[in-house]
Amino acid sequence: MVDATMRFFEDLDRRGFEPLLAKSSGTLRFDLHEGARTVHWLLNVDRGRLQVSQEDREADTVVGTSPVLFEDLAAGREHGLAAILRGDMTISGDAQLLIQVERLFPGHPEARGPRRRFGDREDG
């Protein structure tokens, strides 16, 4: 059930640099809560340079949600800002960083428009 989540973070780490975040810096921790268990994903952004780990340490922005909802976000079936507005996802700290990183999530698989689908590669 965590295939899209794992692929999403592995893809970010593999990229190494994301031009959409060239003017952004900070740390963003995703806490995926399921019962008493929490899985952490830490994204460090340094002017577009990306580094992913599963550390549980202080971050500029902390997002809390369920693994199931995050799986839907990572697969493009759900939209992060809508989940926050519904109360299905919490955020503390620098909300602007989350807004910037949210652009890296894929759009809905059947959507048409400028958002690339997860796994699409831009060569060059």
Side-chain angles (χ1 to χ4, degrees), residues 9 19 21 27 35 40 56 59 61 72-73 83 90 98 101 105 107 115 118:
F9 285 113
L21 300 177
T27 53
H40 306 282
D56 177 15
T61 308
D72 286 344
L73 292 167
T90 61
L98 177 62
V101 169
F105 284 84
R115 277 197 141 174
F118 184 77

Side-chain angles (χ1 to χ4, degrees), residues 5-122:
T5 298
M6 184 69 75
R7 282 193 316 266
F8 176 75
F9 285 113
E10 286 176 350
D11 181 58
L12 290 182
D13 198 43
R14 222 179 354 258
R15 283 185 205 182
F17 180 78
E18 174 52 61
L20 290 173
L21 300 177
K23 296 181 181 180
S24 302
S25 291
T27 53
L28 181 77
R29 191 180 77 221
F30 293 92
D31 293 344
L32 309 184
H33 308 288
E34 187 168 39
R37 182 171 185 254
T38 301
V39 173
H40 306 282
W41 288 96
L42 184 69
L43 175 62
N44 184 27
V45 180
D46 182 12
R47 290 172 293 179
R49 287 187 298 278
L50 306 176
Q51 184 177 14
V52 176
S53 70
Q54 287 196 271
E55 294 179 71
D56 177 15
R57 66 176 179 89
E58 291 291 318
D60 300 313
T61 308
V62 178
V63 176
T65 191
S66 72
V68 173
L69 177 58
F70 196 88
E71 181 75 6
D72 286 344
L73 292 167
R77 294 184 298 265
E78 182 62 72
H79 191 271
L81 297 178
I84 290 170
L85 292 174
R86 283 193 317 268
D88 293 337
M89 197 160 73
T90 61
I91 179 172
S92 62
D94 183 3
Q96 183 177 359
L97 183 59
L98 177 62
I99 301 293
Q100 293 165 341
V101 169
E102 194 273 335
R103 298 182 300 170
L104 302 182
F105 284 84
H108 193 277
E110 296 176 15
R112 299 175 193 256
R115 277 197 141 174
R116 62 183 173 191
R117 291 184 179 165
F118 184 77
D120 288 354
R121 302 269 188 231
E122 294 178 16

